[in-house]
Each structure stands twice: as C-alpha cells, then as structure tokens.
Amino acid sequence: MRRVFAFLGRVPKTVWLLLGVGAAILVPFALFGGPIEAWFGRLADPAAGTARRVMGGVLFGLLAFDVVLPVPSSLASTLCGVLFGLWGGFWISFGAMTVSAALGYALGWLCSGWARRAIGEREDALLRDFLRRYGTPVLIALRTVPVLAEASTLFAGIGRMAPLRAAPPLLLGNAAVSLIYAWVGALGHSADAMVPAFLGSLALSGLLLLGARLLRPRRG
C-alpha cells in the first residue's frame, strides 16, 4: 500500500488536473447522456411537429453549452444537417461549437489562478510552455475527439494560451467537424452514420493538422 501511495505521489499534479477535468465532463454525460439522446430523438421526430425555428434554437443552445452540459454533440450536429441541409446545418453547428469553445476557453482562463495554485508554479510553467510549442496542432487534432475536445479548450484557457493563437485552430477544427456531420445529416442519415462521420471529421482534422505543420515557420 505504501508503494501505491508513493507512486501516486510521484504522478505530476497536472495529470490529476487533467483527470479531474475529464471526470467533470464524463460523469454528467454518463448520468444524463442517455436520457438527453432519447429526448433528441423524440424532438426530431416529424410526428412531434416541432417547429424548425424551435429546433434550430434548441440545437444551437445545446451545442453552445456543450462544454458544461452532457450533450451528444455528434448527434446534435448531424441533426442540424438533417433538419436544415448542408449549409444551414453547418452554420448552426459551427456557430454553436465556436461559442462553446469560447466559453470553455474563458472558463479555463477564469480558473487559471486556482489551477496554478493546485499544480504549482513549476508545472504551470511547463503547461504554458507546452501550449506555446504545441498548442496549435493539439487543438486541431482534438476537435474531433469527444471529451478531449472540451478539455483542450479548458486547458488552453488554464494555460493562458494567447487568444489570437488559440482562435485559428479552434475555428478550423470546428469548421471541419461541423462540415462533415452536417453533410452526413443532409444525406438523411443519423445514428447509423456516426462512425463514418467521425472518421471523416478525424481525417479532415488530420489534413488541417498536416497543413498547420507545413505552414509552421521552421526554427533555425
């Protein structure tokens, strides 16, 4: 038992912070994700007679607060395409996901002082240095990954990543994800196309990541 505690004591505090952020996102989803997804299905059922404007507002609101709510964002973005077509669905999803990213970044920024005291000055400096070096590719790469997408925006704020550096990868990643899911939804698919849509958005984000690396100035 002493060895276990000794090992846990050697784990960097930043790892515990990452696990805590992940748990704060995962636990509500595990508790309420199923009922919310079922509610999505009933709301989108044509027989329910839900007005398109109401559905658009509901989808936008849920995706916008995805960083603090247990929302199945892939299903919501796909429904945007189902109900509003490719470009209508894209703009609803993209706008809402951008609001969510901004909220996550702002929340992380507000909590950065507490986080610095929790993990210590040394690990806080390491986190900021990591974001300075690799923040752009990491934010792009994680936009398609559930939980990590939200956690990455929080950590960008916690590490005080410059807003003008954080914005481009977040916008590009959100555009890639929204475009793929809205396109799948516009074809008339929903849950049965989640895996292909996820893989497609992952591939598109990979291309954006490759482009970011190629355009990155080389250091002497």
Side-chain angles (χ1 to χ4, degrees):
M1 185 62 67
R2 289 182 179 178
R3 292 182 178 179
V4 173
F5 283 112
F7 171 77
L8 294 177
R10 290 194 296 269
V11 175
K13 293 179 181 179
T14 306
V15 174
W16 293 116
L17 180 62
L18 176 61
L19 293 175
V21 170
I25 298 172
L26 276 174
V27 171
F29 191 86
L31 294 175
F32 307 108
I36 289 178
E37 187 169 344
W39 177 73
F40 260 120
R42 292 194 299 270
L43 195 64
D45 187 352
T50 308
R52 282 167 55 86
R53 290 185 179 180
V54 173
M55 275 299 302
V58 169
L59 290 171
F60 186 94
L62 290 174
L63 283 170
F65 290 95
D66 179 36
V67 70
V68 293
L69 294 177
V71 176
S73 56
S74 57
L75 177 59
S77 294
T78 305
L79 282 176
C80 289
V82 171
L83 296 173
F84 300 97
L86 173 58
W87 295 113
F90 166 78
W91 285 113
I92 292 174
S93 174
F94 174 70
M97 289 181 66
T98 299
V99 171
S100 177
L103 289 175
Y105 178 87
L107 181 61
W109 188 285
L110 291 174
C111 295
S112 61
W114 171 85
R116 183 170 59 252
R117 291 190 295 272
I119 65 179
E121 295 289 342
R122 178 177 176 275
E123 291 193 29
D124 180 68
L126 290 174
L127 174 61
R128 296 193 184 206
D129 184 63
F130 175 83
L131 290 172
R132 180 179 61 82
R133 292 171 177 266
Y134 308 109
T136 295
V138 166
L139 288 177
I140 291 177
L142 295 183
R143 293 319 294 159
T144 62
V145 185
V147 179
L148 294 182
E150 293 83 2
S152 65
T153 61
L154 289 167
F155 268 84
I158 289 173
R160 296 292 180 99
M161 186 176 178
L164 292 180
R165 287 195 63 234
L170 290 173
L171 291 172
L172 285 173
N174 288 344
V177 174
S178 297
L179 182 64
I180 293 294
Y181 280 110
W183 175 69
V184 170
L187 295 178
H189 301 291
S190 54
D192 58 334
M194 286 299 99
V195 173
F198 172 76
L199 294 177
S201 60
L202 190 64
L204 188 51
S205 286
L207 292 175
L208 292 172
L209 176 60
L210 178 61
R213 289 181 64 86
L214 292 175
L215 294 174
R216 184 180 180 181
R218 293 183 179 273
R219 296 184 179 181

